[in-house]
Amino acid sequence: MQKRIAVVEDDHNIRANYSDALKRHGYDVAGYVDRASAMAAFRLALPDLAIIDIGLGDEIDGGFTLCRDLRALSNSLPIIFLSARDSDFDIVSGLRLGADDYVTKGVSMPHLTARIAALFRRLEAQRAPARAEDVLHRGELVLDINRLSVNWKQQEVILTVTEFWMVHALVKFVGHVKNRDQLMREAELTVDDNTITSHMKRIRKKFELIDSTFDAIETVYGMGYRWRS
C-alpha cells in the first residue's frame, strides 16, 4: 500500500517540484497551500508523513502552529520541516514543537527520501510480532519497541519516533558511549550534529518533566552520550 505524504508549502513551484519528485519515488502525495486547508484535510484523515514549510502565506510562523496542531492529533506521525530558514532558533523551535526532523530547502532528493524512508522503517517496528526481548527494562525505565513507548518511574514519556529510537540506541547497551555517528546509524537518522544536540536536549527535558532529578543521559564531552548504569 502506498504511503501518503502531505506537502504543505505556499510556493506553487516548490510544492509541485517536491510533490512530483516524491510521486516518482512511489509515494501518494497531497499538496496544501496553507495551514487552514491542510488542517481541514488532516482532521478528516491523517497522512502517513507530513512535510511542512514554516512560513505559510501571511502566517510567518504558520508551519510551527500547524506542527503543534498536528502533533496534538497524533504523537507518532512523522513530521519534517522543510524550510529556507536555517537559524538555530528556528531549528530548535521546530524540534521542540514535536517535529522529527528539520531540513533546509535545496536539500537533494536522495537525501530527503533517505530521511523519509528511515522514518517509515522505524514506524514499521510497531507492527512486528511481540517478543519478550523487545521490552527493555533499565532500572526505572521500561522501553517497548513494538508499542514505541517509554515509561520512566511508571509514567509515560511522550516521545516522537526519532526521539524514541535515540533513547533505544542509548539504553540498548547501558554505559556505552554513543557518538553522533553511531546514534545516527543505530537510530537510522541522517541529520547534522546540531540536530542531534537539539534532540538530546528535548529528550532530557521530557524526562525532567516527570522527574526533576533525572540524570540518566550523560554527555561525555568530545565523545558523545551514554545512559548511566
Side-chain angles (χ1 to χ4, degrees):
M1 184 176 179
Q2 277 186 315
K3 297 291 188 183
R4 189 166 186 269
I5 296 178
V7 177
V8 188
E9 164 64 60
D10 60 350
D11 185 292
H12 171 75
N13 291 330
I14 294 175
R15 187 174 67 253
N17 288 341
Y18 279 109
S19 296
D20 290 344
L22 291 170
K23 287 176 182 176
R24 289 196 295 272
H25 280 80
Y27 295 112
D28 177 18
V29 184
Y32 304 96
V33 68
D34 55 27
R35 181 171 63 89
S37 61
M39 275 307 296
F42 295 161
R43 288 191 179 98
L44 294 175
L46 288 174
D48 295 301
L49 180 143
I51 298 175
I52 303 172
D53 190 10
I54 296 177
L56 296 173
D58 294 333
E59 295 186 282
I60 296 175
D61 293 332
F64 286 155
T65 303
L66 177 60
C67 178
R68 184 176 60 246
D69 293 344
L70 185 52
R71 185 55 74 213
L73 295 176
S74 171
N75 284 322
S76 60
L77 174 72
I79 299 173
I80 299 175
F81 274 115
L82 181 61
S83 176
R85 290 157 55 171
D86 60 357
S87 71
D88 288 343
F89 175 80
D90 286 321
I91 293 171
V92 172
S93 295
L95 295 175
R96 283 178 176 170
L97 287 169
D100 293 279
D101 208 347
Y102 189 115
V103 297
T104 53
K105 290 179 180 177
V107 64
S108 69
M109 279 310 300
H111 194 77
L112 179 60
T113 54
R115 296 188 186 205
I116 291 171
L119 286 171
F120 281 143
R121 280 197 302 272
R122 281 178 273 151
L123 278 178
E124 290 297 320
Q126 56 189 324
R127 300 192 179 98
R131 300 179 302 175
E133 58 266 35
D134 288 337
V135 179
L136 304 181
H137 296 265
R138 301 290 188 267
E140 299 284 359
L141 180 92
V142 179
L143 182 147
D144 188 322
I145 294 174
N146 288 294
R147 295 180 59 195
L148 292 181
S149 67
V150 170
N151 282 267
W152 177 258
K153 293 189 174 180
Q154 300 183 352
Q155 294 187 65
E156 185 176 7
V157 184
I158 303 298
L159 302 175
T160 64
V161 176
T162 294
E163 292 166 351
F164 173 87
W165 286 105
M166 288 183 70
V167 171
H168 176 265
L170 291 176
V171 304
K172 187 163 58 172
F173 298 107
V174 170
H176 289 206
V177 177
K178 298 292 183 182
N179 62 36
R180 288 174 171 81
D181 288 339
Q182 290 172 319
L183 280 173
M184 285 191 286
R185 184 170 60 252
E186 294 191 32
E188 294 188 319
L189 291 166
T190 311
V191 296
D192 58 27
D193 285 358
N194 287 336
T195 305
I196 290 285
T197 301
S198 296
H199 277 301
M200 277 301 183
K201 287 180 179 178
R202 198 152 56 92
I203 289 169
R204 282 188 173 114
K205 286 181 180 179
K206 288 186 175 183
F207 276 93
E208 289 167 358
L209 287 174
I210 293 172
D211 176 8
S212 61
T213 66
F214 175 82
D215 63 354
I217 298 175
E218 179 182 7
T219 299
V220 183
Y221 291 98
M223 297 179 65
Y225 304 90
R226 68 182 168 198
W227 191 271
R228 296 177 189 271
S229 59

